[in-house]
Amino acid sequence: MTTAQRAPERACPPPDVISASPSGWDAVRQAVAAGDAAATADVVLRLGAEERREIAGRLRAYLGEARKAAHARFDAARQRAREAEEQARREFVSEHVDRGVTEEVAQGWWWEEPYYHHQQHVEWSLRNVWIAPLRVVGAGTLGGTAAVADWLLRRDFAEWGETMPIEPLLRVVAARPAEWQADLATRLAARLRGTRAQLDNGAAGLALELLRRTGAEPPAHEPLVVAWASMEPRLATDPLAPHLIPRLFEAEGVGRALRDDRADAPAGRSWLGALATASPVGHEQLVAGCLSRFLRGGTAADLRFFVRLHDLLDPAPGQEQVRDYLRLLPAAPGPVAELALRMLRGPGVTLSGEEVGEAVTALLFRPESKLVRAGLTLLDRAARDAAGDLDDLAPALASAFLCESYEVRERAVRWAVKHARRLSALGAETVREAAAVLPPDLAAHLIPGYGAVETEAAPDDAFEPGEPPVFDAPGRHPVRPAMETLSGTFNRLDHEFAFDRWLDGFVRHPHARRSPGGVTDLRQVGEWLQLEQWTEALLRAAAGEAVALTAEGRLPGPGQVAPLHFALLRRCAEVHAALVEGALPPYLLATPTCTSGHLDPAELVARLEGYEREGVRALPDDLGQALLRLPRAVDPGVVARAGRLTSEAGVTLARWLADRPEPVTSVEWPAKPGERPRPLVRHEPTGIAFVDALFCDSPSRRWVSYYQSAWWLVLPSDREVLAMHLVPYLYGDWRGPGSLQPEISRLCHQEGPAGEGMALLLGILLGEEGWAAERCREPLLRAVATGSLPAVECGRQLGRCLRLLDRVRPTVVVRALDECARRGAHREVWQIMSGLLPVYLPGPGERATTAHTRTLEFAAEVAGWAGARGVIPEVADLAARTGSSGLVRAARRLHGQLAQEDTGRGR
């Protein structure tokens, strides 16, 4: 039998506790050791009264012994499995060595195969086989019901994956008196807390089954009802149903437990179907229960099940329930309010004028446009059905005038004009007074029927810009010297400068190259993707260990990992190759000198002068990294010194200082919504492989390590190129773009032009919401403070995000921009809007939404704050359309402001 075919080890009674004729206590211990709850129940049921009392007295002291014994058996089984694995490995290697394969290659073959081919599996659950039998023992021997309930729910038994042995427990409990059983059922039910753990571990199932078997009255305990509702319904045969169905509408948590229940679920799993077809509680009582649940309130998710049940029951509307349904209209969640409205509009319901007014008033203040329109329709219907005057509807009309929606107010004005003659003088006066809140253009329509209307003056623009925030730039200090403690730090390089200081220390300090202790998985890994794998390999190679010397093929392909991470791996591989060839320089060129990530140009010239004096050849990737770390402004005297260098590396440096390459970057957006933008980087090849590998298009998301937070150290003077390398990582985990906020904030303090990549990063953060929203607005304000915000381009990129990325919502973006404007960035926010509107606004043939309207309204506000002038063609086209929709009105307002002569406005 091969190692892969061996069966997993199972628990068995230890031989030292088995006897031919065991006493009651010994029999219990044997059953517990065997981990068999059913056999334990058999033993307990055979015990006499005296034996039960003895065992009950010894149980608590036995807990630790039982646990320890089970763990010891598990550990022994696992040790045997490990020994079997090791024996199989030795046989495998020996067999292949006999065939002429080297031992090292045979070891590699063993580990390259999927591990489960060799693993001797020992189930973790064997550690806890003592729990279920001990629960049974306690349930069958402890005297009082309180003690049994405490025993069954002990924390000692709350191990992962352990469940109540329900059938054995029911057997031993059934041997007790009926009153005792009922009391235990009640106690266990009262101990439920409505948690998923109690559902999963069987505590809830045991309590419910005991209640069924004993016929005990279920206690008034909400978690009990939730637990019952969380199980499959068996209403026709469940004796608990008559007691607990009415409580479904009272217990908190039932709605959440059943919110995904559907009537078309498989047979036996749908509570909706069971209540509608097999409930022992009458139809009318179920409908009344739903209505009472709605009146108690709750979220839409909590009430979803009861809405579906109400719809499934399809009750005939009754006049006696009108008041209850009216009470739901103002504040109930949308689905509940829609249900109530359907009932009020049913064929058997007649509303008085006062009730119509109450309903319309409630609906017109709803946030859902569908319900607002329904309120106006209800107003029209009431006017049509009324025989006399419409004075009862005048208060509802006044409510419509107060609605925030222009369309609603416009429609209400048309209704008032149409029915002016059906209002008495008192009703007309009510309408005329309410019309004071209308915009002047709408109020003017009421004058012929109601007389002059005095509208309220529009409030003055109270905008007061805050002081733009000031941000402290990261300090610029000398980088600490190269590390000398290498073996203790090779796998702790997550600090931003740690890697460079470690690598420089490895080159500078031969005496510190000690092999790390212990055994790692370096042998077993094909390609070394982690920095610590390479740093370990360097130490082992320096110590002469053979495994580290065979580094060929360990460097992954460039497309396997992120380019900036690959750059770090390249530098390690280069140092490794130089070590093996005996060509290590005395120090590295690229180690930064300043905590801004830069390398002092004079220091680099001095390092190269030292190389030339000693005849040292520069490592190509080390030189490429050194060039990328040079600041953009270099003293002419340093440039002159560099021009006197004669080595190949010196000539490369002089050429770099004379004509630093400047890549051209752009973001390519797909035409199809939902697809991600593609970053593009174009430049003339420099002939420096390290540089050309980074001045290129960033591939789609690739594997990265923890070192991503220090990528900026590779490109401290090319923030736009760095931004392009960050774009693929805007999405990829649950955190979204906000996970890159620290890296994007740092870009504001780096060198180099800011283009489409940085504009996209700064813009997309404005769409983050929830707990991350506030910190994701900070990079935009930081960019304003540092003068690194490409504002118009940021707006263009943000407009494309709104069009093509579902995750970026207009309301969130407008809220973020409003906050930034009020914090002193109103001019920059207007520039963003001037770039956003041409991209985001609907073009010919495209459907406009309320989000477009709100965005235009905000643009008009911020344009006024910034004193903006200059026509935007797309806004002008919208303003020229016929009609009076909210979108057209907002476009006309903004266009009117922008088309004025520029009178100037200070910040």
Side-chain angles (χ1 to χ4, degrees), residues 386-668:
D389 64 49
L390 303 181
D391 286 4
D392 286 342
L393 302 180
L397 190 63
S399 299
F401 290 167
L402 290 169
C403 187
E404 292 185 2
S405 168
Y406 185 93
E407 287 80 4
V408 170
R409 288 182 288 180
E410 186 179 38
R411 185 172 167 184
V413 167
R414 289 200 302 268
W415 188 95
V417 171
K418 177 181 178 181
H419 298 291
R421 294 183 179 181
R422 297 186 62 185
L423 292 168
S424 69
L426 182 60
E429 180 62 20
T430 300
V431 173
R432 190 169 65 82
E433 290 178 356
V437 300
L438 291 172
D441 60 325
L442 291 180
H445 293 291
L446 297 173
I447 295 175
Y450 296 87
V453 176
E454 295 184 7
T455 59
E456 300 174 357
D460 294 333
D461 185 358
F463 172 74
E464 289 292 338
E467 287 296 321
V470 177
F471 297 91
D472 295 331
R476 296 200 170 204
H477 309 290
V479 173
R480 293 167 59 195
M483 290 186 186
E484 292 195 48
T485 305
L486 303 179
S487 62
T489 57
F490 79 94
N491 57 355
R492 297 200 299 271
L493 304 177
D494 51 340
H495 183 268
E496 51 193 10
F497 295 103
F499 171 68
D500 280 288
R501 293 179 56 236
W502 191 96
L503 200 62
D504 194 32
F506 181 85
V507 174
R508 286 180 183 270
H509 306 304
H511 64 276
R513 301 169 189 165
R514 300 187 183 90
S515 179
V519 179
T520 65
D521 64 351
L522 203 59
R523 296 172 177 267
Q524 304 160 14
V525 179
E527 294 173 337
W528 296 336
L529 304 180
Q530 301 277 8
L531 286 181
E532 54 264 34
Q533 292 171 323
W534 281 98
T535 51
E536 179 190 348
L538 285 170
L539 292 175
R540 295 192 184 280
E545 296 186 26
V547 63
L549 291 174
T550 58
E552 293 80 4
R554 300 292 191 174
L555 190 67
Q560 290 181 249
V561 298
L564 284 165
H565 184 69
F566 184 68
L568 305 178
L569 301 183
R570 281 182 60 152
R571 293 194 61 204
C572 291
E574 181 179 68
V575 171
H576 190 286
L579 173 69
V580 173
E581 296 167 7
L584 272 183
Y587 51 82
L588 294 177
L589 299 175
T591 305
T593 56
C594 180
T595 53
S596 65
H598 288 106
L599 170 58
D600 181 8
E603 174 63 20
L604 178 57
V605 172
R607 290 175 182 176
L608 282 172
E609 288 172 343
Y611 272 25
E612 291 187 1
R613 284 194 302 271
E614 299 182 25
V616 176
R617 181 178 178 275
L619 301 179
D621 288 347
D622 184 37
L623 175 62
Q625 177 64 92
L627 297 176
L628 289 172
R629 283 179 172 159
L630 291 175
R632 288 180 167 258
V634 181
D635 184 86
V638 175
V639 176
R641 278 180 59 196
R644 292 192 288 272
L645 294 169
T646 59
S647 64
E648 181 182 352
V651 172
T652 300
L653 170 60
R655 186 171 65 248
W656 182 276
L657 295 177
D659 185 19
R660 192 184 200 283
E662 196 65 75
V664 177
T665 61
S666 61
V667 176
E668 182 182 79

Side-chain angles (χ1 to χ4, degrees), residues 304-338:
R304 182 187 305 159
F305 170 80
F306 302 103
V307 171
R308 289 174 175 170
L309 178 60
H310 188 282
D311 290 342
L312 194 62
L313 295 172
D314 192 21
Q319 193 68 34
E320 65 279 2
Q321 296 172 321
V322 164
R323 294 307 308 168
D324 288 335
Y325 286 113
L326 280 172
R327 288 167 58 192
L328 296 174
L329 292 180
V336 178
E338 290 177 22

Side-chain angles (χ1 to χ4, degrees), residues 106-153:
Q107 295 276 13
W109 287 354
W110 170 268
W111 290 111
E112 285 173 6
E113 292 187 32
Y115 181 63
Y116 64 83
H117 284 182
H118 316 303
Q119 186 181 21
Q120 297 290 309
H121 182 62
V122 179
E123 294 182 11
W124 183 261
S125 61
L126 294 182
R127 286 172 54 90
N128 302 321
V129 294
W130 57 280
I131 295 176
L134 272 184
R135 274 182 164 140
V136 173
V137 174
T141 61
L142 293 172
T145 55
V148 171
D150 288 342
W151 178 262
L152 292 176
L153 301 176

Side-chain angles (χ1 to χ4, degrees), residues 284-297:
E284 293 77 10
Q285 190 175 350
L286 292 176
V287 173
C290 289
L291 186 53
S292 68
R293 187 65 189 84
F294 299 147
L295 292 171
R296 289 166 61 90

